[in-house]
Amino acid sequence: MRVGIGYDVHKLVENRDLIIGGVNIPHEKGLLGHSDADVLLHAIMDSILGALSLGDIGKHFPDNDPKYKGANSLKLLERVGNLIHNKGYKVSNIDSTIIAQRPKMASYISKMRENIARVLNIDIDSINVKATTEEGLGFTGNEEGISSQAICLLIPIDKK
């Protein structure tokens, strides 16, 4: 069994879509980044890559590579999911947290879980997504950015 943790943060800016967990969330600002800046999926990918000892998303999808400009992070997650199988593992579970003062995430979490489970081809009960505020403290509390943390457990594929 292998465990990995991931963290990501992006700045909130005007004239960008807010995409978290593959869901376009209505909000007056979006996250700044080379790709779609999906903090949740980026943290999840980093947790998986860490568990596999394969570096981080910057190594696999560099932000100076034009082919990843505006990339859909669900597609990137799918590529990371292929690495799990290729290394002889499968996802046991993923637990993640979105840290944002606004917007409230509760009504979007079930769709985020569905997206992640579908792309990784795992049971939705293996995915947990939570959201919290920081009570107005720090950069997330001041609505300057949104961050996310994730941890995953990978287990060997049962080769019968």
Side-chain angles (χ1 to χ4, degrees), residues 52 54 78-90 157 159:
L52 295 171
L54 292 176
E78 183 175 29
R79 290 180 56 187
V80 170
N82 291 333
L83 293 173
I84 299 169
H85 184 75
N86 293 343
K87 288 288 235 172
Y89 288 88
K90 64 181 180 179
I157 294 172
K159 298 176 183 174

Side-chain angles (χ1 to χ4, degrees), residues 66-116:
K67 72 180 171 189
Y68 299 116
K69 178 95 173 125
N72 179 332
S73 291
L74 286 170
K75 296 286 186 192
L76 303 180
L77 179 62
E78 183 175 29
R79 290 180 56 187
V80 170
N82 291 333
L83 293 173
I84 299 169
H85 184 75
N86 293 343
K87 288 288 235 172
Y89 288 88
K90 64 181 180 179
V91 173
S92 174
N93 72 298
I94 296 170
D95 187 26
S96 58
T97 305
I98 304 161
I99 303 144
Q101 194 65 34
R102 287 187 325 110
K104 297 297 184 190
M105 301 289 162
S107 60
Y108 305 103
I109 287 176
S110 62
K111 183 61 179 167
M112 292 176 191
R113 292 178 63 223
E114 289 172 18
N115 287 341
I116 296 162

